[in-house]
């Protein structure tokens, strides 16, 4: 049986790192089971907002969990207004996480709020002796770029408005690269993941994608957060959120 | 002193009135790490059909004020898979097992009932909110006649296993449907299922749910549920499992006072995986504080 953390945890830090994007550090119990690509459920315990919010794990430092989240609705707005010293009920780690294989040279490709879970992954891969290049794409202001620079060999940035780095999509930098990657790891909006799935198929470079969907329980009971894999719908919270790009049906 | 918490539904004793609602508790495994399943009166497992159902396209979940919409579409791997993989786990616990049955035709319901003919379960719960394919997709539970027919058909093949019929609130007169189920031979009723609802993403200018519409659950629907339990309890003599937005022990007491024998906890499991046990402890404390020796004393006390 899986070991979960499900307790009130104290917020140590909660700060804006970009427009509408916040980093929250939370003091938790034992996090040694947590892996890159997994997520936690954040319980707001506000009557009218019933459901916990699924948020990916950005970083772990002994007993401190860091989540980086975007204010997209009322729930994340409430989170953004919480102060250090306050407590939040947290459940996790949930989901399967990225599978770390034996590849030597890997590309991490993140888009927008899909970038944070790749940070813990970058650290993990580098600790496993791999060479990591990070390709990070944003609409405008980048997040976490300096932190990726402390672990990745190279960090490439693209912004749609050209304010930082390459003007356009991050996939354009990856496609024009001469690097021979053993594997790609990605998280971001559906069009990015779909483009990478096509790239993976054309180049035969395996690609793992971390997905998201509206969730209720996070535990696999409600069968709410599904993605089409082959002919059937599978649960993102339980069988995912990380899938092999070639098993996902991208036409849905 | 010891207080009597046990309740009787169709000759089967539940150790207490707290039950989990179908589709919110998986097959129990997922919650076993948060609560002691032995403390539950009964576990209602996710909806099971004869053949696997693939469910609706995502998104399937939308939160609303004090509630949530779901349009899962009863995705399940079929009765055979359930009996092989999930039932043995549940048999390890000292709690009653309610198997929720779904179908799109009367024949489907009969087939899934027969799938369980050799399975040791305590109750069938008949989900009659499924669309009836032969009646243009209208749900079995929205007409007295079809509710009665499907109940009678399942009852005929259910052997000694009591049949609880779960009623849809999306009807003009729930009492009439309840009477239909009673006439069809139901041993008990469970009410209410979700209320049909909709939420629109005004930025994308389209419904949030892939299925456009879905079932509303959670505290937002509780007053409707309490009212319907109250009306039905006054009109039929069957035991009732009250459900719909129950999230606290106070809610559970409300349902019991309205006439429910047991209370089923659904969406609250998502907001708080320990909701069922916290409700049970709250009921026990309430009984002690009010010197209620037997939970059945307060059942249906509202005139």
């Amino acid at each position: 049986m899986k070991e979960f953390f499900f307790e009130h945890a104290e917020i140590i830090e909660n700060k804006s790192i970009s427009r509408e994007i916040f980093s929250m550090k939370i003091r938790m119990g034992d996090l040694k089971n947590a892996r890159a690509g997994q997520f936690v459920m954040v319980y707001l315990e506000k009557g009218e907002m019933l459901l916990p919010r699924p948020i990916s794990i950005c970083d772990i430092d002994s007993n401190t969990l860091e989540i980086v989240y975007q204010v997209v609705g009322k729930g994340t707005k409430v989170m953004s207004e919480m102060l250090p010293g306050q407590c939040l009920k947290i459940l996790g780690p949930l989901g399967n996480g990225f599978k770390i294989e034996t590849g030597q040279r890997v590309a991490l490709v993140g888009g927008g709020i899909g970038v944070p879970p790749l940070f813990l992954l970058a650290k993990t891969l580098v600790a496993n002796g791999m060479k990591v290049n990070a390709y990070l794409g944003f609409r405008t202001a980048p997040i976490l770029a300096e932190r990726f620079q402390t672990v990745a060999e190279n960090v490439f940035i693209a912004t749609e408005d050209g304010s930082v780095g390459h003007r356009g999509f991050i996939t354009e930098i990856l496609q024009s690269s001469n690097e021979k990657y053993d594997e790609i790891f990605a998280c971001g909006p559906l069009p990015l993941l779909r483009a990478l799935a096509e790239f993976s198929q054309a180049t035969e470079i395996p690609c793992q994608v971390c997905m998201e969907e509206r969730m209720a329980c996070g535990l696999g009971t409600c069968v709410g957060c599904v993605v089409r894999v082959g002919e059937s719908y599978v649960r993102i919270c339980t069988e995912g959120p990380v899938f092999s790009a070639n098993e996902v049906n991208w036409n849905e | 002193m010891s207080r009597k918490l046990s309740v009787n539904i169709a000759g089967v004793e539940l150790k207490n009135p707290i039950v989990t609602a179908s589709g919110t508790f998986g097959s129990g495994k997922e919650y076993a790490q948060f609560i002691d399943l032995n403390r539950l009166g009964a576990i209602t497992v996710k909806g099971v059909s004869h053949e696997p159902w693939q469910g609706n396209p995502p998104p399937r979940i939308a939160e609303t004020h004090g509630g949530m919409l779901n349009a899962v579409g009863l995705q399940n791997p079929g009765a055979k898979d359930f009996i092989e993989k999930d039932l043995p786990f549940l048999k390890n616990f000292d709690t009653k097992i309610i198997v929720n049955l779904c179908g799109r035709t009367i024949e489907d319901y009969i087939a899934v009932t027969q799938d369980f003919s050799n399975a040791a379960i305590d109750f069938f719960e008949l989900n009659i909110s499924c669309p009836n394919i032969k009646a243009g997709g209208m749900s079995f539970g929205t007409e007295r006649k079809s509710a009665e027919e499907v109940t009678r058909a399942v009852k005929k093949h259910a052997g000694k296993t009591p049949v609880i019929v779960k009623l849809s609130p999306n009807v003009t007169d729930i009492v009439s449907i309840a009477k239909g189920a009673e006439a069809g031979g139901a041993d008990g009723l469970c009410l209410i299922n979700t209320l049909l609802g909709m939420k629109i993403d005004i930025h994308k200018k389209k419904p949030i749910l892939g299925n456009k519409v879905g079932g509303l659950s959670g505290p937002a629907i509780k007053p409707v549920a309490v009212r319907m339990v109250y009306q039905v309890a006054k009109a039929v003599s069957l035991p009732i499992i009250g459900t719909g937005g129950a999230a606290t022990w106070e809610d559970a007491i409300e349902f019991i006072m309205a006439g429910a024998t047991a209370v089923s906890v659904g969406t609250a499991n998502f907001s708080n995986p320990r909701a069922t046990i916290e409700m049970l402890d709250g009921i026990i404390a309430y009984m002690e504080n009010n010197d209620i020796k037997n939970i059945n004393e307060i059942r249906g006390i509202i005139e």
Side-chain angles (χ1 to χ4, degrees):
Chain A
M1 195 161 286
K2 281 186 199 167
E3 290 287 323
F4 290 148
F5 178 93
F6 180 55
E7 295 298 335
H8 279 102
E10 187 188 343
I11 299 169
I12 303 166
E13 185 181 281
N14 190 25
K15 61 173 191 192
S16 170
I17 59 167
S18 180
R19 193 167 161 268
E20 301 291 278
I21 296 180
F22 289 76
S23 156
M24 183 186 275
K25 288 183 181 161
I26 307 160
R27 187 173 295 126
M28 306 261 293
D30 193 356
L31 285 164
K32 69 174 190 296
N33 293 325
R35 293 193 306 279
Q38 290 188 298
F39 65 99
V40 296
M41 279 297 209
V42 178
Y43 293 76
L44 301 170
E45 300 186 277
K46 296 254 176 200
E48 76 281 13
M49 287 178 273
L50 291 185
L51 301 177
R53 270 53 182 170
I55 315 268
S56 65
I57 296 172
C58 173
D59 197 8
I60 287 168
D61 185 4
S62 65
N63 282 356
T64 304
L65 167 81
E66 182 184 7
I67 53 177
V68 170
Y69 59 97
Q70 186 169 15
V71 175
V72 291
K74 288 178 200 154
T76 39
K77 177 83 179 143
V78 167
M79 284 174 63
S80 73
E81 289 162 354
M82 295 192 79
L83 300 170
Q86 287 186 289
C87 287
L88 267 176
K89 197 172 254 186
I90 304 279
L91 168 63
L94 299 168
N96 59 354
F98 288 103
K99 279 194 285 291
I100 313 283
E101 308 285 358
T102 49
Q104 288 306 301
R105 218 167 246 271
V106 299
L108 309 192
V109 187
I113 200 61
V115 166
L118 299 179
F119 182 67
L120 179 59
L121 178 66
K123 278 177 50 174
T124 310
L125 294 171
V126 169
N128 278 272
M130 299 186 200
K131 178 178 181 278
V132 172
N133 283 349
Y135 295 80
L136 312 177
F138 305 91
R139 275 212 190 89
T140 172
I143 53 165
L144 305 174
E146 304 79 28
R147 287 172 66 186
F148 274 90
Q149 269 149 7
T150 64
V151 287
E153 187 140 322
N154 295 291
V155 179
F156 304 98
I157 306 278
T159 52
E160 287 175 39
D161 65 1
S163 56
V164 182
H166 170 77
R167 177 194 291 267
F169 293 123
I170 193 64
T171 42
E172 292 159 2
I173 307 185
L174 177 68
Q175 281 156 351
S176 60
S177 161
N178 295 321
E179 290 267 7
K180 293 276 173 278
Y181 291 112
D182 298 313
E183 188 157 21
I184 298 168
F185 298 86
C187 186
L190 222 45
L192 170 67
L193 301 185
R194 193 180 285 129
L196 288 170
E198 283 166 16
F199 181 73
S200 159
Q201 198 172 25
T203 57
E204 294 184 358
I205 303 169
C207 177
Q208 294 181 41
V209 294
C210 186
M211 308 198 62
E212 66 169 356
E213 182 54 88
R214 289 167 181 272
M215 289 184 187
C217 69
L219 295 165
T221 67
C222 71
V223 204
C225 59
V226 294
V227 60
R228 181 87 85 167
V229 167
E231 289 307 303
S232 42
Y233 288 121
V234 305
R235 299 167 297 187
I236 287 179
C237 69
T238 307
E239 282 77 38
V242 178
F243 296 92
S244 170
N246 64 15
E247 64 181 351
V248 173
N249 184 335
W250 298 100
N251 299 320
E252 287 263 318
Chain B
M1 65 163 288
S2 82
R3 316 237 161 219
K4 182 172 149 59
L5 276 161
S6 63
V7 296
N8 189 301
I9 296 178
V12 179
E13 191 176 85
L14 275 57
K15 65 174 72 165
N16 65 61
I18 295 294
V19 175
T20 67
S22 179
T24 63
F25 211 69
S27 294
K29 260 184 210 147
E30 296 83 353
Y31 285 92
Q33 55 218 316
F34 301 108
I35 60 169
D36 178 4
L37 301 182
N38 295 304
R39 291 196 67 202
L40 297 171
I43 291 174
T44 313
V45 299
K46 61 189 175 185
V48 185
S49 50
H50 175 58
E51 299 283 351
W53 283 12
Q54 74 160 11
N56 290 326
R60 292 174 168 183
I61 303 288
E63 191 183 61
T64 62
H65 196 98
M68 63 171 274
L69 291 163
N70 92 80
V72 171
L74 295 165
Q75 176 175 341
N76 80 90
K80 192 163 169 276
D81 190 275
F82 170 80
I83 291 166
E84 274 171 22
K85 293 180 187 161
D86 292 330
L87 202 50
F89 173 82
L90 285 172
K91 296 305 293 177
N92 294 326
F93 297 91
D94 178 22
T95 184
K96 302 299 177 194
I97 301 168
I98 306 176
V99 173
N100 181 283
L101 304 179
C102 40
R104 297 188 184 99
T105 61
I106 297 242
E107 293 73 28
D108 279 355
Y109 281 106
I110 292 172
V112 68
T113 308
Q114 289 172 331
D115 288 335
F116 284 90
S117 53
N118 293 315
I121 61 163
D122 300 291
F123 296 95
F124 287 119
E125 178 181 82
L126 199 50
N127 178 356
I128 58 169
S129 298
C130 307
N132 177 356
I133 288 177
K134 287 178 184 164
M138 197 168 74
S139 118
F140 288 94
T142 54
E143 270 192 347
R144 177 179 173 145
K145 190 163 160 281
S146 53
E148 183 177 337
E149 265 173 14
V150 68
T151 306
R152 181 168 291 122
V154 167
K155 188 65 193 156
K156 199 174 154 189
H157 295 90
K160 286 182 182 148
T161 309
V163 176
I164 297 167
V165 178
K166 186 165 185 179
L167 303 181
S168 166
N170 303 308
V171 296
T172 314
D173 178 12
I174 195 157
V175 168
S176 150
I177 313 293
K179 286 182 171 167
E182 188 175 40
D187 300 291
L189 300 173
C190 176
L191 61 145
I192 58 175
N193 208 321
T194 56
L195 284 154
L196 199 59
M198 186 174 190
K199 183 172 178 173
I200 293 168
D201 182 330
I202 59 165
H203 304 292
K204 291 182 182 159
K205 301 186 180 74
K206 57 179 202 176
I208 289 184
L209 296 174
N211 190 52
K212 293 184 182 168
V213 298
L216 181 65
S217 62
I221 72 165
K222 197 194 74 183
V224 179
V226 171
R227 182 267 293 180
M228 288 184 160
V229 165
Y230 170 77
Q231 286 179 319
V232 170
K234 289 277 179 271
V236 302
S237 54
L238 298 174
I240 293 171
I241 301 178
T243 188
T248 64
W249 64 267
E250 292 97 327
D251 297 340
I253 299 285
E254 239 188 288
F255 274 102
I256 293 167
M257 287 184 172
T261 298
V263 180
S264 175
V265 183
T267 300
N269 293 307
F270 304 155
S271 320
N272 174 12
R274 294 192 186 118
T276 45
I277 296 308
E278 289 175 11
M279 289 167 79
L280 178 58
D281 290 338
I283 291 172
I284 294 167
Y286 175 81
M287 289 171 71
E288 280 167 9
N289 295 337
N290 293 277
D291 196 29
I292 297 163
K293 293 182 181 63
N294 181 339
I295 190 71
N296 296 293
E297 282 170 34
I298 59 167
R299 185 174 71 239
I301 58 167
I302 306 300
E303 286 300 317

